[in-house]
Amino acid sequence: GGKGQSTVENNRMFKNLGPGMKIQHDAAPTVRLNKMKVNGQGGIQVEDAAMGMIEENTLAFNTQSGVLDWVS
């Protein structure tokens, strides 16, 4: 199958136990202008063969890095 190429824009992701957002498998979204703060892991976690465009997001006060690249 083809890569998931959705757009995630202008959202607020606060106080999650894990990351604010997880991008995984072969997804390739555009993630822009979101606010991800005070999450239990990173602001954005990227796993597996996922890719995409991450631009102009606010990632602050998360327990781990703003963008985490995890190899599984």
Side-chain angles (χ1 to χ4, degrees):
K3 292 182 182 265
Q5 297 180 341
S6 59
T7 298
V8 179
E9 187 170 36
N10 290 317
N11 294 284
R12 291 187 172 112
M13 300 163 207
F14 289 71
K15 298 184 180 179
N16 294 292
L17 294 176
M21 166 182 258
K22 184 185 282 189
I23 304 169
Q24 58 188 11
H25 305 300
D26 64 349
T30 297
V31 180
R32 85 168 65 93
L33 300 170
N34 298 288
K35 294 182 183 191
M36 300 173 203
K37 298 180 180 179
V38 195
N39 292 296
Q41 293 179 3
I44 301 173
Q45 183 173 313
V46 182
E47 295 183 353
D48 306 320
M51 300 172 85
M53 176 70 68
I54 298 173
E55 58 186 13
E56 298 185 54
N57 296 283
T58 300
L59 308 169
F61 309 110
N62 296 297
T63 303
Q64 297 175 349
S65 299
V67 179
L68 294 171
D69 184 10
W70 286 27
V71 178
S72 53

